[in-house]
């Protein structure tokens, strides 16, 4: 079980990769670590943050996909009808874009710090983009 440290400002989380349910996505994401970017508030998905990845080509397809992730279920959308992205839900979420409903690969689940996800989401909603870093914990 591979664990990932997630930091955004004063917010600290630990996630576990869903290596059995989303093996290709988990392996791909591990190859990016440490991964640094910014999160912004999702425009269409409800209570979620996202990291736009543009026209990133990964060769990944859908696995362990969902359109209705729970708080702390981190998704990767490999692109298609919308740009590639990482979605970090902190509350009620229906994954979508301006093109309509999407489904993303649930490849990581936050297991520590989950109780602060809504606080992070509201901080980004009212204060704007935040730097975020994902890195190996083990």
């Amino acid at each position: 079980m591979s664990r990932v440290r997630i930091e955004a400002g004063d917010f600290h989380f630990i996630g576990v990769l869903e290596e059995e349910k989303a093996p290709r996505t988990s392996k791909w994401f591990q190859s990016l670590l440490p991964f640094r970017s910014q999160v912004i508030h999702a425009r269409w998905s409800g209570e979620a943050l996202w990291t736009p990845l543009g026209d990133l080509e990964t060769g990944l397809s859908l696995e362990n996909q969902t359109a209705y992730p729970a708080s702390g279920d981190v998704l990767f959308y490999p692109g298609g009808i919308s740009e590639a992205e990482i979605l970090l839900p902190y509350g009620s979420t229906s994954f979508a874009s301006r093109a309509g409903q999407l489904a993303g690969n649930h490849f990581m689940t936050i297991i520590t710090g989950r109780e602060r996800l809504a606080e992070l989401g509201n901080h980004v909603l009212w204060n704007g983009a935040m730097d975020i870093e994902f890195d190996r914990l083990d």
Side-chain angles (χ1 to χ4, degrees):
M1 174 168 47
S2 297
R3 296 184 310 158
V4 175
R5 174 184 52 79
I6 306 162
E7 294 185 3
D10 292 333
F11 298 94
H12 307 279
F13 308 97
I14 296 174
V16 61
L17 293 174
E18 298 289 343
E19 294 168 305
E20 289 185 23
K21 296 178 181 176
R24 295 182 313 276
T25 307
S26 296
K27 184 176 180 178
W28 168 79
F29 189 73
Q30 282 182 307
S31 75
L32 298 179
L33 300 176
F35 177 74
R36 293 175 187 90
S37 189
Q38 287 192 319
V39 289
I40 56 179
H41 203 272
R43 294 177 277 196
W44 295 279
S45 297
E47 296 176 321
L49 305 175
W50 70 305
T51 298
L53 300 173
D55 294 330
L56 179 71
E57 295 286 334
T58 64
L60 292 171
S61 57
L62 293 176
E63 62 178 356
N64 196 35
Q65 68 269 22
T66 183
Y68 302 99
S71 175
D73 290 354
V74 183
L75 305 185
F76 171 69
Y77 178 70
I81 63 172
S82 185
E83 67 183 292
E85 67 181 84
I86 294 172
L87 187 79
L88 178 57
Y90 66 86
S92 181
T93 301
S94 176
F95 187 29
S97 74
R98 65 182 176 195
Q101 190 74 48
L102 299 174
N105 300 352
H106 174 198
F107 75 98
M108 182 174 18
T109 303
I110 293 177
I111 58 170
T112 302
R114 198 176 209 147
E115 68 281 355
R116 292 199 68 204
L117 281 170
E119 186 181 350
L120 171 63
N122 285 315
H123 180 83
V124 172
L125 175 64
W126 295 106
N127 298 295
M130 266 185 99
D131 291 335
I132 191 165
E133 179 180 82
F134 298 82
D135 203 356
R136 287 176 181 79
L137 186 63
D138 299 329

